Amino acid sequence: RMSREERQREEIAEAVDMGIDLFTLVQDILHNWWAIILGALAGAMLFYVAANIKYVPEYTSTATFVVGSKESNYSYSNLSATYNMAQVLEKTLKSNVMKKIICENLGIEEVDAKIQTDVMEGTNLLTLSVTADNARESIDIIRTIMDHYTEVSIYTVGNAVLNVLEEPKMPYASANPLDARAQAKKGFLAGAAICTLLFGLLSVMHN
């Protein structure tokens, strides 16, 4: 029978035999550097193509208004009341009733655009922005809202008016530019990492 000390020595010897030779591991990986580069380039190309396929440009038109009253033409003397009224208008401009008016005037079935409003806290300034898949649609929707908002707001804040501080402009550049180069870099690193891991596993499994 083997003594306790002999058994420990044998277990240690088996563990050493089953251990990973780091020098051989690194050598095997470096030996396949060309395949790792090819895998990295393939990953970069795959990420680049996928980014272009998935990319949908968005165009945003923005207008800024001063919320006022029909009596004063500019703003209420009570700025706090004006701010509250601007918040009501904010909900009105994004309401389903307004979307229905947009559809009727533009001859579309549904508003496939993002309508956002923002009221600067403590002021009577309201910003309206419309984001759509094409520039013409974004400018058409925002101008329709500006032309017909009184048809909806009359039932909520009847004596409120929006005085244009900054007119909306036709967006010629997308609001979400595609950064395909950054995606290609991610794909390059991912491809290189996967290939390096693969060759490392093959080296370990190769005795």
Side-chain angles (χ1 to χ4, degrees):
R1 296 178 61 180
M2 296 176 61
S3 65
R4 183 178 178 182
E5 185 177 349
E6 289 175 339
R7 285 199 303 271
Q8 288 179 343
R9 288 178 181 177
E10 187 174 341
E11 290 174 359
I12 293 173
E14 290 177 356
V16 171
D17 290 338
M18 294 175 61
I20 298 175
D21 186 347
L22 292 179
F23 178 78
T24 303
L25 176 64
V26 173
Q27 191 176 39
D28 288 345
I29 292 175
L30 293 178
H31 182 72
N32 294 284
W33 64 270
W34 57 274
I36 295 175
I37 294 297
L38 287 177
L41 291 175
M45 185 177 297
L46 182 63
F47 273 56
Y48 181 87
V49 172
N52 278 276
I53 292 176
K54 292 167 58 179
Y55 174 66
V56 177
E58 295 180 344
Y59 297 87
T60 301
S61 296
T62 304
T64 304
F65 306 93
V66 177
V67 180
S69 68
K70 293 178 181 179
E71 290 78 13
S72 66
N73 284 333
Y74 285 98
S75 63
Y76 292 100
S77 57
N78 188 337
L79 193 58
S80 177
T82 310
Y83 174 67
N84 293 333
M85 182 165 293
Q87 288 183 308
V88 176
L89 273 172
E90 180 181 16
K91 297 178 181 178
T92 302
L93 297 178
K94 296 191 294 184
S95 66
N96 291 329
V97 178
M98 176 58 74
K99 290 179 180 179
K100 184 178 179 180
I101 292 174
I102 293 171
C103 291
E104 291 174 351
N105 282 269
L106 298 182
I108 56 179
E109 294 185 0
E110 62 177 353
V111 180
D112 189 17
K114 184 166 57 177
I115 301 173
Q116 292 181 306
T117 54
D118 181 55
V119 179
M120 189 178 297
E121 187 173 357
T123 71
N124 60 335
L125 297 179
L126 184 147
T127 300
L128 170 67
S129 63
V130 176
T131 302
D133 293 344
N134 61 77
R136 172 53 60 185
E137 185 178 357
S138 68
I139 193 71
D140 286 346
I141 291 176
I142 197 170
R143 289 198 179 280
T144 302
I145 293 174
M146 292 172 65
D147 292 339
H148 298 275
Y149 81 91
T150 53
E151 298 174 26
V152 182
S153 64
I154 192 172
Y155 299 106
T156 54
V157 280
N159 59 344
V161 293
L162 294 178
N163 300 294
V164 181
L165 184 64
E166 183 178 352
E167 288 279 357
K169 298 178 182 178
M170 173 73 77
Y172 292 102
S174 61
N176 61 332
L178 173 64
D179 192 357
R181 189 173 181 179
Q183 295 299 319
K185 288 180 180 179
K186 292 180 181 178
F188 185 90
L189 294 175
I194 292 173
C195 289
T196 301
L197 180 61
L198 177 61
F199 286 117
L201 289 174
L202 291 174
S203 177
V204 173
M205 296 171 61
H206 192 259
N207 193 21

